[in-house]
Amino acid sequence: DQRIAEAFAAIAADQLAALHEILTIEAGWAAGVIGNGETAASMLARMERDLLVLGARPGDQWTRQGEALSQRIADAVREGATLGTEGLRETISDIGAAARRDAQALADVSTTSAAGQAHAEVARAEGAVAFRWLSLLDSRTTTGCAIRHGLMYSLDYQPIGHSIPIERPPPRHWGCRSILAPWLRMPRPGDRDGEGTFDSWLATLSQAEQDDVLGKGRADLYRRKVITKADLVNQRGRVLTLAELRARVD
């Protein structure tokens, strides 16, 4: 346990240093795109202090991964008599492979979290008026991200022109492929919308593809216009289960 804890503490230190560099680079890039190209040291310090990765501080996320790995190994060792020597060796190998995948996923989501926060902070400082949620839309996109695609949010993440709470700025989950794009002025009538919306994208899909994106039950309710995309989430923005959704519309 101690060796694992020390190893993950070292990983966390390296990752925190990398996140500091990412914040600096991404904030500088954003300032160059929408501002004067300069980023105040005080802003960078605040971003680093306040950075969260899926609701927790980056160092805490690495500590949790280390603790989870220790627990999985301890469980496997306790089962050693049942597994046998070869079975235990294979189990430990599988645990190690899963731990590497988890570590890569945490490094990835930490990077996107840092980039997203840097862009948002610079946008606020440089006079942006709102954010627009943009998601890569395909069969891998979660319902929660897909329904927010194209929606506008204020600088403090309140809905603009709709009722779907942001729940959590992207990344909202492991492997999230969504961003908040800063807008320097609000959309005006006649503006060309090159990004589309969830509804317009869903309309391009076949029934089977819609079932795959929403789940067959939700997609059926949506196609029959029993629900809209706003009905898919609760007041905090969490996507409702099919049972919760049916209870709401019955």
Side-chain angles (χ1 to χ4, degrees):
D1 286 358
Q2 184 61 31
R3 291 180 64 182
I4 291 176
E6 290 173 353
F8 272 82
I11 293 172
D14 288 342
Q15 286 295 308
L16 290 173
L19 290 178
H20 171 79
E21 185 174 356
I22 289 167
L23 285 168
T24 302
I25 292 171
E26 293 293 340
W29 173 83
V33 171
I34 63 176
N36 59 19
E38 297 181 359
T39 306
S42 58
M43 178 188 292
L44 288 170
R46 184 175 67 254
M47 286 190 291
E48 191 167 5
R49 183 193 67 222
D50 296 340
L51 178 63
L52 296 178
V53 176
L54 298 180
R57 300 200 178 282
D60 293 340
Q61 289 283 22
W62 286 108
T63 298
R64 292 173 186 176
Q65 282 208 359
E67 291 171 346
L69 176 58
S70 294
Q71 187 61 57
R72 288 195 293 267
I73 292 175
D75 291 345
V77 170
R78 280 192 289 270
E79 288 186 303
T82 302
L83 296 171
T85 302
E86 189 60 30
L88 179 58
R89 184 179 294 113
E90 291 179 359
T91 298
I92 295 296
S93 177
D94 290 343
I95 290 172
R100 287 190 289 274
R101 290 193 298 271
D102 290 345
Q104 184 61 61
L106 179 52
D108 290 346
V109 77
S110 297
T111 297
T112 54
S113 295
Q117 178 168 332
H119 298 168
E121 287 294 322
V122 171
R124 293 186 182 97
E126 296 293 347
V129 298
F131 297 114
R132 190 180 192 193
W133 187 295
L134 300 178
S135 296
L136 183 59
L137 298 177
D138 56 28
S139 60
R140 293 170 49 203
T141 310
T142 64
T143 300
C145 287
I147 63 174
R148 291 175 171 86
H149 176 70
L151 298 184
M152 302 292 293
Y153 291 91
S154 67
L155 297 182
D156 59 351
Y157 302 136
Q158 298 305 305
I160 298 176
H162 60 92
S163 61
I164 298 178
I166 201 165
E167 186 186 25
R168 172 189 287 151
R172 348 178 6 260
H173 56 81
W174 301 98
C176 185
R177 298 174 299 156
S178 300
I179 63 169
L180 286 181
W183 281 58
L184 299 180
R185 66 169 177 81
M186 294 302 294
R188 298 168 184 165
D191 281 353
R192 183 174 178 272
D193 185 355
E195 301 297 340
T197 65
F198 169 77
D199 297 296
S200 61
W201 171 67
L202 206 64
T204 68
L205 304 181
S206 67
Q207 181 171 319
E209 289 170 330
Q210 291 174 355
D211 289 348
D212 189 45
V213 169
L214 290 178
K216 191 171 183 178
R218 291 193 191 96
D220 176 65
L221 292 171
Y222 181 88
R223 282 191 295 268
R224 291 192 289 116
K225 302 188 184 302
V226 176
I227 62 170
T228 66
K229 66 181 180 183
D231 296 315
L232 291 168
V233 298
N234 65 11
Q235 291 182 341
R236 297 184 62 184
R238 179 180 63 82
V239 176
L240 298 171
T241 65
L242 181 56
E244 291 171 330
L245 191 55
R246 283 176 170 159
R248 172 181 282 192
V249 300
D250 285 346

